[in-house]
Amino acid sequence: IENDVADDSRQRTTQQTPLALRNAKSPFDQTDADVFICTSDRTLFGVHRCILSLGSKFLEVAGPTSSDPAFLQPTILVKEDAKTIDTLLRLLYPVFPSKIKSILHLRKVLAAGMKYDAPTVTHAMKQLMTGKFLKTDPLRVFAIACIFELEDVAQSAAEQAAIRDLVKDGDCPELAEISAGAYYRLLKLNRTRTEVARTEGSCSKCS
């Protein structure tokens, strides 16, 4: 029994111990930063208020700095993880942006860009959606565009998904998050494309 109590005590202590703070990679590890951002996975980004203010409303949306004495400098706590914030900041700063290799990463950055009202970030994500990811995964692009109310992107992606016959059997977990109306329009477009293809096929056989 004593061993069980000791194990339980150690387990509670482990669960209550927060992750150690770590510094972000360059250029967000500079000592001249005037405010820090602490992500959900405890990574500290040193940034400059003037740059954030020029490219977004990050400071207004994120709220006041933390009163936690563990932070030695003015620090803003955010819900996003380090990978998302790193990509967001690199699109705001005059540095080379991060490469976005997955549509899940794109979705997180798009969400952050819209949350913090950063037009440069949102525009960059829309370009990726209508370029790289429209070619590889139009159905998921459609769903994400619907979630974030990007109607022009959603229309282009829906057409591509229908043309490539991906609507019926496509694997897209994000479809569960879109409205019934958006899903109905996707199915209607798919039926129209299918009927057109069938008609064109019949005509070609007749000729």
Side-chain angles (χ1 to χ4, degrees), residues 90-178:
R90 288 180 186 278
L91 288 164
L92 295 176
Y93 270 66
V95 295
F96 287 111
S98 302
K99 289 185 178 181
I100 295 184
K101 298 180 180 179
S102 74
I103 200 162
L104 178 59
H105 184 193
L106 179 146
R107 177 179 177 172
K108 289 181 178 180
V109 176
L110 175 62
M114 299 189 77
K115 174 182 176 180
Y116 297 117
D117 194 8
T120 301
V121 176
T122 304
H123 178 70
M125 295 307 100
K126 287 180 66 175
Q127 283 191 317
L128 282 174
M129 292 173 77
T130 55
K132 172 183 176 180
F133 289 104
L134 185 63
K135 297 176 183 178
T136 59
D137 207 342
L139 191 58
R140 292 189 73 184
V141 168
F142 164 77
I144 291 172
C146 288
I147 292 168
F148 292 99
E149 300 180 353
L150 303 175
E151 295 184 7
D152 53 337
V153 178
Q155 181 63 33
S156 298
E159 291 174 357
Q160 282 298 312
I163 290 171
R164 293 162 59 180
D165 197 22
L166 299 174
V167 175
K168 185 178 179 180
D169 301 317
D171 181 19
C172 180
E174 289 84 3
L175 284 178
E177 301 179 55
I178 70 174

Side-chain angles (χ1 to χ4, degrees), residues 10-47:
R10 283 195 296 268
Q11 184 177 4
R12 286 200 302 270
T13 301
T14 301
Q15 291 174 346
Q16 294 172 358
T17 302
L19 294 172
L21 289 170
R22 60 178 179 175
N23 291 325
K25 297 179 181 179
S26 179
F28 307 116
D29 57 352
Q30 304 299 314
T31 57
D32 64 345
D34 56 14
V35 67
F36 287 80
I37 298 170
C38 183
T39 61
S40 60
D41 46 3
R42 306 280 287 178
T43 302
L44 280 176
F45 289 79
V47 295

